[in-house]
């Protein structure tokens, strides 16, 4: 009897041991219990799945990370777990919603590898998504390198994808300026051997999901995605070695302790979840700036788009300042070439602008790849002492912001340059806009003087016919992809043709982009004479339209076809819609926030694509019917 019981006990111990090695499972569920993340240890490998209700968002997806001295990808021993609730309110200075809430359930799993070195993996389940990151808790002053991050997103193969090839262009200077693929099958091969860029939008199982990265800083490289076998398992890929503005290795290095960026999936049954979520900023550290009174988003004129040489002409820039004041816009951007200005000095121009209550923003090169050139405004951002001297001078002149261009890589030293510029600019109360840049990862929460980032194929490309031909569809994809993760300096609302290319969007479409797109400083790129020639009604709208919002609401839309979005500033609602299709689109929709009969100014396309029609629209918010012309648009306000 004793022998039989002992044998049974041994069998139970063995079964428990087998489960410990191969069958462990942990779960974390969102506060509303709709999203469930399940982490499991299968055959010595960690993986996770994500469900929304009973619907699969992510199938078994790989976990693991390999350092140069330790591997944390196989045969990890579970040590312990911690569970907590994250709940913090915070305020942004720019964005789709200024009052935000970081609210999630967090599960921390602590594992040990075969050398008894530990790794923590933090998982968060939000009501609108999930995220995870790795952390090495050890204290070491020696630099370590991440050789490989095995993290991945296993998207169900039936999914459709709106996804952008990683922009390793012919210059080997990636800056997220490729067109998005429009609803292709998940697992399709990238046209670019470098893979795919964040963010990536998927639709499957009656769910929408946006995959991206958050809380990147100087301790890591910006990453993108690859799907090696075209099985819709999108794994983390470091920058390409060929990215020429930095000769550093693609793999990140750091002392310990060390945390990776968050791997993020925004998930919900509607595109409203994608467009309205603040998950990327939720995952970033709080603001490092206490006094934000000097941070003032706004609208800006910009002469370079229509005539680049005008940046060197003092008198033309004075005209732009006068025009900006007449439009009641807050800023004018003076782009590359301004140090060669003729007819007056920049210091005098800034003084003149200040008398008109117009803030001046000046262009600089990031200095990436130009560190050995002769010192100038085209590389001084590379040198801490020179950068601070320049910021001190700009502050003394009264310059309000800088546009820093041509970063052109996601390698770790480039991330360091972003952080250095943001920190030094904050010390001198100078706002920042990044161009030729990486994707937003939520930095605007930590550094609220960051007004915008490019990382988009925007209106600078309007001198090429391919851009003009593809822009209508492109514009309907961006609100659910690129602009969903952070401010986007597309420089839109252009009514004239650039060079020989012929614009395909209508005037109504272009006007609506002032609402459909979001950017802390919104650059209206066209020639001032184009705006001055507008009818009174659209011109008055451009005088009033805000650039930051208290609330954003998805109304209706399908990426690649059309979109209508509503945004609120204080008690005023602004509604904008665009059609990306070559045929008219009839739409019926509600505005559920309208509680009583309300009269809007309604501006849409007129008798042709280069005219407007304005009328009053009285509505109780129910059953609104409109017909969007081909590639057309409208606004209510």
């Amino acid at each position: 009897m004793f022998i039989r019981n002992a044998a049974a006990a041994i069998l139970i111990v063995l079964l428990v041991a087998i489960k410990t090695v191969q069958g462990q499972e942990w779960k974390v569920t969102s506060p509303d219990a709709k999203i469930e993340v399940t982490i499991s240890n299968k055959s010595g490998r960690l993986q996770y799945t994500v469900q929304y209700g009973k619907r699969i968002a992510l199938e078994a997806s790989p976990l693991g990370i390999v350092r140069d001295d330790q591997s944390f990808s196989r045969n990890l021993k579970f040590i312990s777990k911690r569970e907590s609730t994250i709940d913090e309110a915070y305020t942004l200075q720019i964005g789709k919603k200024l009052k935000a809430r970081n609210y999630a359930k967090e599960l921390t799993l602590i594992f040990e590898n075969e050398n008894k070195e530990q790794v923590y993996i933090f998982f968060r389940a939000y009501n609108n998504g999930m995220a995870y990151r790795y952390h090495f808790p050890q204290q070491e002053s020696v630099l370590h390198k991440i050789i490989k991050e095995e993290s991945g997103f296993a998207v169900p193969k039936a999914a459709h994808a709106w996804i952008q090839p990683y922009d390793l262009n012919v210059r080997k200077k990636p800056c997220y300026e490729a067109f998005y693929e429009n609803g292709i099958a998940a697992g399709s091969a990238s046209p670019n051997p470098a893979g795919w860029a964040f963010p990536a939008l998927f639709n499957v199982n009656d769910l929408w999901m946006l995959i991206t990265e958050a809380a990147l800083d100087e301790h890591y490289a910006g990453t993108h995605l690859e799907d090696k076998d075209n099985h819709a398992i999108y794994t983390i890929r470091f920058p390409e070695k060929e990215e020429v503005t930095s000769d550093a290795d693609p793999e990140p290095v750091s002392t310990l302790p060390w945390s990776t960026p968050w791997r993020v999936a925004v998930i919900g049954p509607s595109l409203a979840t994608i467009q309205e979520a603040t998950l990327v900023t939720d995952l970033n550290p709080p603001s490092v700036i206490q006094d934000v009174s000097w941070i003032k988003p706004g609208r800006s004129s910009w002469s370079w788009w229509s005539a680049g040489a005008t940046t060197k002409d003092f008198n033309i820039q004075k005209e732009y300042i006068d025009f900006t004041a007449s439009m009641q816009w807050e800023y004018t951007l003076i782009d590359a070439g301004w140090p060669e200005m003729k007819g007056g000095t920049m210091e005098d121009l800034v003084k003149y602008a200040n008398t008109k209550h117009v803030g001046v923003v000046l262009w600089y090169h990031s200095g990436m790849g130009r560190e050995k050139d002769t010192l100038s405004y085209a590389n001084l951002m590379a040198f801490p002492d020179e950068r601070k001297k320049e910021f001190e001078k700009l502050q003394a002149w009264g310059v309000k912001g800088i546009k820093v261009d041509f970063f052109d890589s996601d390698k770790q030293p480039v991330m360091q340059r972003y952080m250095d510029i943001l920190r030094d600019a904050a010390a001198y109360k100078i706002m920042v806009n990044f161009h030729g840049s990486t994707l937003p990862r939520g930095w605007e929460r930590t550094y609220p003087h960051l007004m915008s980032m490019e990382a988009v194929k925007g209106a600078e490309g309007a001198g090429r016919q391919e851009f003009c031909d593809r822009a209508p569809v492109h514009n309907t994809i961006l609100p659910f992809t690129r602009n969903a993760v952070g401010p986007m300096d597309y420089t839109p609302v252009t009514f004239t043709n650039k060079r020989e290319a012929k614009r395909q969007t209508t005037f109504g479409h272009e006007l609506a982009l002032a609402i459909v797109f979001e950017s802390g400083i919104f650059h209206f790129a066209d020639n001032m004479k184009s705006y001055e020639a507008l009818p009174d009604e659209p011109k008055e709208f451009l005088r009033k339209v805000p650039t930051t919002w208290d609330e954003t609401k998805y109304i209706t839309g399908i990426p690649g076809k059309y979109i209508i979005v509503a945004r609120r500033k204080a008690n005023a609602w602004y509604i904008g819609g665009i059609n990306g299709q070559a045929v008219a689109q009839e739409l019926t929709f509600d505005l559920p926030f309208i509680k009583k009969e309300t009269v809007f100014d309604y501006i849409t396309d007129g008798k042709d694509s280069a005219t407007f029609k304005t009328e009053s629209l009285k509505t109780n918010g129910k059953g609104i019917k409109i017909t969007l012309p081909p590639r057309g648009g409208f606004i209510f306000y």
Side-chain angles (χ1 to χ4, degrees), residues 359-427:
V360 171
V361 177
L362 296 180
W363 181 96
Y364 287 85
H365 194 288
S366 72
M368 291 306 308
R370 293 189 172 185
E371 290 84 354
K372 296 180 181 179
D373 294 356
T374 302
L375 184 69
S376 73
Y377 83 128
N379 72 345
L380 64 81
M381 291 291 160
F383 307 104
D385 291 343
E386 298 299 329
R387 183 171 61 236
K388 291 172 185 174
K389 286 180 186 175
E390 190 76 2
F391 289 166
E392 183 177 24
K393 179 182 76 175
L394 297 182
Q395 185 183 47
W397 285 358
V399 170
K400 304 302 182 185
I402 55 173
K403 170 184 172 180
V404 188
D405 207 346
F406 295 119
F407 292 87
D408 294 334
S409 173
D410 274 355
K411 291 182 181 179
Q412 188 177 4
V414 186
M415 300 304 126
Q416 180 72 61
R417 184 70 50 84
Y418 287 116
M419 297 298 109
D420 290 343
I421 291 170
L422 285 170
R423 289 164 185 153
D424 288 346

Side-chain angles (χ1 to χ4, degrees), residues 326-365:
S326 74
M327 290 298 292
Q328 301 171 22
W329 294 347
E330 292 80 6
Y331 301 103
T332 190
L333 167 61
I334 306 178
D335 216 283
W338 65 264
E340 304 162 41
M341 184 171 285
K342 307 297 183 184
T345 68
M346 180 55 69
E347 185 175 8
D348 287 340
L349 189 64
V350 175
K351 287 179 181 176
Y352 178 77
N354 288 339
T355 68
K356 298 287 186 175
H357 305 290
V358 172
V360 171
V361 177
L362 296 180
W363 181 96
Y364 287 85
H365 194 288

Side-chain angles (χ1 to χ4, degrees), residues 210-225:
L210 186 70
I211 292 171
T212 193
E213 178 177 66
L216 171 66
D217 63 18
E218 69 268 38
H219 299 105
Y220 220 75
T223 68
H224 52 286
L225 297 167

Side-chain angles (χ1 to χ4, degrees), residues 425-494:
Y428 293 92
K429 297 185 176 180
I430 293 171
M431 294 180 291
V432 178
N433 174 21
F434 288 135
H435 257 236
S437 71
T438 192
L439 185 77
R441 266 83 170 192
W443 296 342
E444 63 270 27
R445 179 182 178 189
T446 311
Y447 302 100
H449 59 306
L450 175 58
M451 292 290 100
S452 198
M453 302 177 74
E454 188 182 21
V456 68
K457 184 174 277 295
E460 284 190 21
R464 300 180 182 88
Q465 192 60 47
E466 181 195 17
F467 174 87
C468 293
D469 292 343
R470 297 184 68 172
V473 169
H474 183 57
N475 293 347
T476 68
I477 296 173
L478 294 174
F480 306 114
T481 52
R482 165 60 186 84
N483 211 184
V485 299
M488 181 178 74
D489 197 17
Y490 182 107
T491 64
V493 191
T494 56

